[in-house]
Each structure stands twice: as structure tokens, then as C-alpha cells.
Amino acid sequence: MAQMIFLNLPVKDLPASMAFFEALGFSFNPQFTDETAACMVISDTIFAMLLTHEKFASFSPKPIADTERSVEVLTCLSRESREAVDAIVKAALAAGGSTYNGPQDHGFMYGHGFRDLDGHVWEVMWMDPAAVAG
């Protein structure tokens, strides 16, 4: 079995969060989606579980982070081009998200990001394949 990553994120309004991420082009696995959780497919081995606050609280004894006051994690997704980075950020803004920082251009690497409806930070980056091959 391939190693997988399941990012678990608390969300205030599950249907609204699902609509937000669908507007960015993500899909959901109905087998692991119900009224308390939704399994967002990022790739064949990476998933984000969007969990209602009640469901998330059942997994952790600590309080849910207040994303207006702090950052709990920086989730970074790669894209195939600079244009694809800008496109997903533009889609996030159109769907009700916000930015938290301007684009970062390092020549061989380009990034930008957005905050989703619950304030979770999603960084999006592209790296020149020649720089990776190094």
C-alpha cells in the first residue's frame, strides 16, 4: 500500500467549505464524506479531511486554533506553472478566500497563497524543473 497523507482541518460550515474547494477544482470522495466530514482529493495519495468542529474535537483534546490570531499550519501545494499558481489563488479569491501575503518570486521558484473560508493557509508554489534536477 502506498503511503498516504490525510490532512485534517476543522471547518465551521462543511457545505460552504466543500463548495469553496470545488470552485478551486478539487473533488470529494463520497465513500468518506458525510454530514460531519468530507474527504477532499488532492492527489492519488494526498487528501484533506474537512471536519466539522464537533468531529475535529473528537480527535484532539486541545482547542481548535483561532486562525484570526495565529497560524496552525502552512499547507503547501505544488503546481505545474507560475500561471497555475496564480490561477488557483485567483479562484480562491473569487470563491470567498483571501490572501495573507503577496506573491514571492525567487526566479527558480514562484509562490503565492490564500486563506480558505476558515482561515487555513494554503501556499501554492511552482519550481523550475531544471532547479530540482540540480
Side-chain angles (χ1 to χ4, degrees):
M1 181 176 176
Q3 187 170 17
M4 298 180 180
I5 294 175
F6 290 86
L7 173 67
N8 293 277
L9 296 172
V11 299
K12 294 176 186 148
D13 183 334
L14 185 58
S17 290
M18 290 176 69
F20 174 83
F21 285 108
E22 285 172 338
L24 275 58
F26 293 102
S27 63
F28 291 87
N29 181 335
Q31 185 178 3
F32 302 106
T33 299
D34 62 21
E35 65 280 350
T36 65
C39 180
M40 184 171 79
V41 179
I42 297 172
S43 78
D44 290 344
T45 59
I46 304 171
F47 308 88
M49 295 299 300
L50 307 180
L51 307 171
T52 63
H53 279 219
E54 296 77 21
K55 180 80 162 195
F56 188 90
S58 73
F59 294 109
S60 176
K62 293 187 176 185
I64 294 171
D66 178 353
T67 58
E68 292 300 318
R69 299 172 45 96
S70 61
V71 175
E72 85 271 61
V73 67
L74 298 173
T75 302
C76 185
L77 302 174
S78 64
R79 286 293 182 253
E80 65 277 359
S81 67
R82 292 171 182 257
E83 296 77 20
V85 170
D86 290 337
I88 195 170
V89 172
K90 183 179 179 180
L93 297 177
S98 62
T99 59
Y100 67 96
N101 201 357
Q104 304 291 313
D105 191 343
H106 301 285
F108 70 96
M109 185 170 68
Y110 175 77
H112 199 190
F114 61 89
R115 290 172 25 123
D116 65 22
L117 301 180
D118 291 278
H120 305 296
V121 176
W122 295 80
E123 294 187 334
V124 188
M125 57 81 67
W126 164 84
M127 186 176 294
D128 183 345
V132 176

